[in-house]
Amino acid sequence: MLSFTEKNLGRRSFLRVGSLGLGGLSLSSLLGAKALAAKAGGAVKDKSVVFLFMHGGPSQTETFDPKMTAPAGVRSVTGEVKTTLPGVTYGATFQKLARLAHKMAVVRSFTTGNANHDIKPIVCKETLGANLGSLYARVAGTNHPVSGMPRNVALFPRAVVPKSQERQTQFGKFDSTGFLGPAYTPFIPGGGGDLQQDMLLNLPRGRLGDRRGLLSKLDNLKKSLDGNSGGLDRFREQAFEALLGGAGDAFDLSKEDPKVVERYDTAPLVPYSSIRKVWNNHKNYRDHVNSLGKLMLMARRLVERGCGFVTVTTNFVWDFHADKNNATVTEGMHYVGHPFDHAVSAFIEDIHNRGLQDKVLLVCCGEMGRSPKINKNGGRDHWGKLAPLMLSGGGFNHGQVIGESTRDGGEPNSDPVTMNNLLGTVMHSLLDVGEVRLMENIPGKVKSLIADSEPIKNLS
């Protein structure tokens, strides 16, 4: 649901707000986006990707590759749990995901290439410095041609918990568009920034206002624009229809079945009072616990309504050095792993219950992994040779483990999967590469990136 600030609600302000967050374009660009989508033709598949970015670098052994036969100091410090796949175990924190292993594909030979804290693979040199969703939107168009839903959205804690901290940018900007330009910037609900100077997107029911009141404001503004400008052109007319058609409802969790909200909600799992304040990142853990489940629910609502690419991430939490900032692996997985287990399992079950498992691909990974050996403080340090990767849905065969790691969980032992392979899997899921090659209005380097990236081989 959309609610306006009281200042500057005039014609110029409204046009500057553009499509009210539906892609961040000018109001008249909605039909232009529809025209672009028409040109894309058969290149755009009726599929979506939700990319849950595990910022900080999750550990291989405490997630999906426990290595319990390895020596102490290498094997998972949280133990293991049996899954629904014979002989396959996960880290013991992932009790609920273990029961859904037959609906997931785990890659145990994924390498990110370096151990830098950044935001690869969402934004990196392999993506031409642009958010993956922005590259997709450059081909598909910035808005869904029917619903007006933005094709590319980035969700941070403030989208569902307004009192969360601001998103962190020291490791990279999730809304980067590289050379594509600002028209392809992801929409960030509740995130502030230039696209929302004159518009607020708040989710709690008490802060949403009455929908009919909003529609009345829009209707009055439309009449005002008609009177001042001699009538809206057909581009703007269609933009109004998209707005009044309720695309903003996708961002309103109060419209969801309360039982579904409760199933997703991670806030009760780890009370803030139980998170030790000795770690400087204790507020990051708080925001992660309080927001992750609702972020995943919002992501599901968005892809149901035509959003093609959703980035989901909480504040920087998967960093387990056991230093003044970050908890030990054991303690950190309690703060971070339990909410992840709960939220992701809820999402997977929900997608299957709604028959969307062939349409929606979930990707979960971070920018790197953690060192095979526990450090002297009980943490794991930066590691770029191996990192966990999990996928679910997208029409792929699941219930499989792709590749294997070495005995110490330090690097791939077979079937290495690279950033290029992950990028290829995402793009080939969303787009018909053969059709993209034929499109004349797409920059050559975007075509090459999409066409030349090779999907994960054994994921079929």
Side-chain angles (χ1 to χ4, degrees):
M1 180 68 68
L2 303 171
S3 61
F4 296 94
T5 58
E6 294 180 356
K7 65 173 185 176
N8 299 327
L9 191 58
R11 181 174 185 274
R12 175 178 294 182
S13 173
F14 189 76
L15 297 181
R16 184 169 70 251
V17 171
S19 56
L20 298 183
L22 302 183
L25 301 176
S26 65
L27 187 59
S28 62
S29 295
L30 185 58
L31 188 59
K34 185 173 182 178
L36 177 60
K39 290 181 180 179
V44 182
K45 298 180 181 179
D46 184 25
K47 291 193 174 185
S48 301
V49 169
V50 174
F51 201 122
L52 175 51
F53 184 62
M54 304 164 74
H55 203 180
S59 164
Q60 178 86 358
T61 50
E62 278 74 40
T63 54
F64 300 108
D65 193 8
K67 297 291 181 189
M68 296 309 292
T69 60
V74 172
R75 63 177 178 255
S76 170
V77 297
T78 59
E80 66 180 344
V81 58
K82 292 182 179 180
T83 72
T84 54
L85 303 179
V88 175
T89 63
Y90 293 166
T93 309
F94 290 172
Q95 300 276 339
K96 295 173 182 176
L97 287 173
R99 295 193 289 269
L100 297 174
H102 57 288
K103 297 180 179 180
M104 299 157 52
V106 167
V107 179
R108 288 180 168 173
S109 55
F110 176 54
T111 177
T112 62
N114 65 57
N116 297 335
H117 273 318
D118 47 33
I119 57 173
K120 60 180 183 296
I122 299 294
V123 179
C124 59
K125 63 180 181 180
E126 285 84 359
T127 69
L128 306 177
N131 181 290
L132 265 180
S134 298
L135 293 171
Y136 163 70
R138 181 61 183 85
V139 176
T142 54
N143 298 80
H144 191 281
V146 177
S147 68
M149 178 64 63
R151 293 281 203 183
N152 181 23
V153 175
L155 299 178
F156 303 95
R158 282 194 173 185
V160 292
V161 183
K163 292 184 179 180
S164 300
Q165 301 170 97
E166 293 184 12
R167 68 183 188 272
Q168 298 169 343
T169 60
Q170 66 265 42
F171 300 115
K173 295 183 178 180
F174 287 94
D175 55 358
S176 176
T177 60
F179 77 98
L180 298 177
Y184 299 95
T185 302
F187 174 55
I188 302 175
D194 293 340
L195 297 182
Q196 292 185 314
Q197 289 301 310
D198 295 286
M199 187 270 285
L200 295 176
L201 186 57
N202 296 316
L203 299 177
R205 179 182 293 274
R207 306 184 70 181
L208 289 173
D210 186 283
R211 175 174 173 77
R212 282 178 292 183
L214 169 63
L215 295 181
S216 177
K217 285 184 180 181
L218 283 173
D219 189 51
N220 291 336
L221 180 57
K222 180 178 178 181
K223 292 177 182 177
S224 172
L225 288 172
D226 283 336
N228 291 339
S229 62
L232 296 173
D233 62 28
R234 62 190 181 93
F235 282 13
R236 294 189 177 100
E237 190 69 37
Q238 289 203 14
F240 270 112
E241 292 304 317
L243 288 171
L244 299 177
D249 279 355
F251 298 92
D252 181 1
L253 296 189
S254 72
K255 302 292 185 181
E256 188 61 64
D257 182 342
K259 291 183 179 179
V260 175
V261 176
E262 183 180 6
R263 169 63 182 96
Y264 272 90
D265 193 9
T266 49
L269 297 178
V270 185
Y272 185 42
S273 60
S274 72
I275 298 174
R276 294 203 299 153
K277 308 308 184 293
V278 297
W279 315 113
N280 289 342
N281 282 341
H282 61 89
K283 290 183 179 180
N284 289 359
Y285 299 139
R286 176 203 63 190
D287 290 349
H288 175 82
V289 173
N290 287 345
S291 66
L292 182 59
K294 290 180 179 178
L295 289 172
M296 293 304 294
L297 174 54
M298 184 179 288
R300 190 269 290 162
R301 290 175 60 82
L302 295 179
V303 296
E304 271 189 317
R305 291 159 173 80
C307 185
F309 192 91
V310 183
T311 303
V312 178
T313 190
T314 59
N315 286 321
F316 190 83
V317 290
W318 291 91
D319 200 8
F320 298 142
H321 286 298
D323 55 14
K324 65 180 181 179
N325 294 319
N326 310 284
T328 65
V329 177
T330 304
E331 188 175 341
M333 282 300 293
H334 174 67
Y335 300 150
V336 177
H338 285 302
F340 180 91
D341 180 54
H342 184 92
V344 175
S345 63
F347 182 89
I348 293 173
E349 289 177 336
D350 202 7
I351 289 297
H352 280 261
N353 290 340
R354 294 169 184 272
L356 298 173
Q357 65 272 15
D358 292 338
K359 180 180 177 180
V360 178
L361 173 64
L362 172 66
V363 178
C364 301
C365 72
E367 73 271 29
M368 60 178 175
R370 312 305 301 179
S371 58
K373 292 185 178 180
I374 293 286
N375 65 30
K376 63 180 182 178
N377 297 320
R380 294 187 189 271
D381 299 313
H382 293 196
W383 195 256
K385 295 181 180 180
L386 193 72
L389 170 62
M390 187 275 280
L391 306 98
S392 182
F396 294 114
N397 293 324
H398 290 93
Q400 59 179 311
V401 175
I402 297 173
E404 64 178 4
S405 59
T406 52
R407 186 170 182 269
D408 68 351
E411 56 189 293
N413 195 44
S414 69
D415 305 305
V417 171
T418 66
M419 284 288 188
N420 179 268
N421 300 138
L422 179 55
L423 188 153
T425 298
V426 169
M427 289 301 173
H428 284 240
S429 296
L430 294 170
L431 302 167
D432 184 314
V433 174
E435 292 289 335
V436 172
R437 292 180 190 273
L438 300 177
M439 295 178 69
E440 297 180 355
N441 61 329
I442 303 300
K445 51 187 174 180
V446 174
K447 281 188 183 183
S448 296
L449 182 150
I450 293 171
D452 296 342
S453 56
E454 184 178 350
I456 299 171
K457 290 182 180 178
N458 296 323
L459 185 66
S460 59

